[in-house]
Amino acid sequence: MDPKNYICPQSAIDSAIKIINFNSDGLVPAIAQQHDTGEVLMMAWMNRESITETLKNGLVCYYSRSRKKLWRKGEVSGHTQSLKDFRIDCDGDTILLLVQQIGVACHTGRQNCFFNSVVTDGIKVITDVKIDPKDMYNK
Amino acid sequence: MDPKNYICPQSAIDSAIKIINFNSDGLVPAIAQQHDTGEVLMMAWMNRESITETLKNGLVCYYSRSRKKLWRKGEVSGHTQSLKDFRIDCDGDTILLLVQQIGVACHTGRQNCFFNSVVTDGIKVITDVKIDPKDMYNK
């Protein structure tokens, strides 16, 4: 689906929210995957409000558990995620967001958050920092 | 890393567990991704014991929150997941498992669990059942 179509009607948003099994905190985990390469970028949490905003605007909005408020991904850094598809799993307790990542997904300046690989020696960092985090947050 | 190398030494398992931030239930979400195609197959939960078993054997073992016990993926259906890489994210609260899925990942008989797509009309099922679930569980 083209991102502009994610100016979703309220009826579609209601259908989505109806089949999602939110946890006792009203949250559901959401995986962000780069739509054209398949790279898994990050995992974060969404609530009803962030899902509604995401489907209405076509720009991914999470819920920050630490800050206890909506987390409009890229609001500070400019590294937004445009929504390409919004998928819900078989038992409604996980979301898969297919996105176009602008810039990098990880706050460390790496393209994705999963850079610690477990190898026989222990933990190996397998991807390089692409953008200095200082340049992402102190503009 | 070759799956056979995932007969990981205890020291590597300890290093992994040390940087994982388990939630208050002692669990961490784990995303399973098909290693060669990038297909996101499912998301489930792991605890220390299931992580240890997974890294020792090279076969993915989750923790079932509903059954409150280890869930050796594919133990009944034969649809196991061989571990190709075990990655931990930037803040240690999500795991990405790169796997070779034998058979299908979803209990509905679909290759992956994320078959409900939100479209303007509502929810559209976008993938077909590949194996009849009756043939997976009633052998």
Side-chain angles (χ1 to χ4, degrees), chain B residues 106-119:
Chain B
C106 186
H107 75 287
T108 64
R110 292 178 177 86
Q111 191 63 40
N112 75 69
C113 296
F114 298 96
F115 53 79
N116 299 295
S117 175
V118 180
V119 296

Side-chain angles (χ1 to χ4, degrees), chain A:
Chain A
M1 186 189 272
D2 194 75
K4 68 177 179 297
N5 291 334
Y6 270 109
I7 302 167
C8 249
Q10 190 60 46
S11 57
I13 298 171
D14 291 344
S15 298
I17 286 178
K18 201 172 170 184
I19 67 163
I20 294 172
N21 288 317
F22 295 92
N23 71 12
S24 56
D25 294 322
L27 301 176
V28 60
I31 302 159
Q33 181 182 31
Q34 175 65 30
H35 72 105
D36 50 0
T37 65
E39 182 179 3
V40 175
L41 299 167
M42 58 181 284
M43 203 282 278
W45 295 78
M46 301 181 100
N47 66 359
R48 286 170 181 77
E49 198 183 346
S50 70
I51 289 168
T52 300
E53 182 168 317
T54 298
L55 287 171
K56 271 194 174 157
N57 299 341
L59 276 178
V60 177
C61 172
Y62 299 103
Y63 177 82
S64 167
R65 295 177 302 168
S66 55
R67 297 193 296 273
K68 297 190 189 344
K69 62 174 191 171
L70 291 186
W71 168 23
R72 294 180 178 92
K73 177 72 180 162
E75 194 172 34
V76 177
S77 65
H79 295 186
T80 53
Q81 296 175 335
S82 295
L83 189 65
K84 295 286 184 176
D85 203 350
F86 187 107
R87 297 188 188 157
I88 302 165
D89 79 342
C90 52
D91 50 7
D93 66 4
T94 309
I95 289 167
L96 178 65
L97 305 165
L98 295 185
V99 304
Q100 173 63 45
Q101 174 71 53
I102 307 299
V104 297
C106 186
H107 75 287
T108 65
R110 292 178 177 86
Q111 192 62 39
N112 75 69
C113 296
F114 298 95
F115 52 80
N116 299 296
S117 175
V118 181
V119 296
T120 48
D121 291 343
I123 308 296
K124 185 181 172 190
V125 173
I126 56 168
T127 54
D128 292 330
V129 170
K130 208 167 146 183
I131 299 177
D132 188 330
K134 286 201 297 288
D135 297 331
M136 290 166 67
Y137 300 106
N138 299 329
K139 292 181 188 178

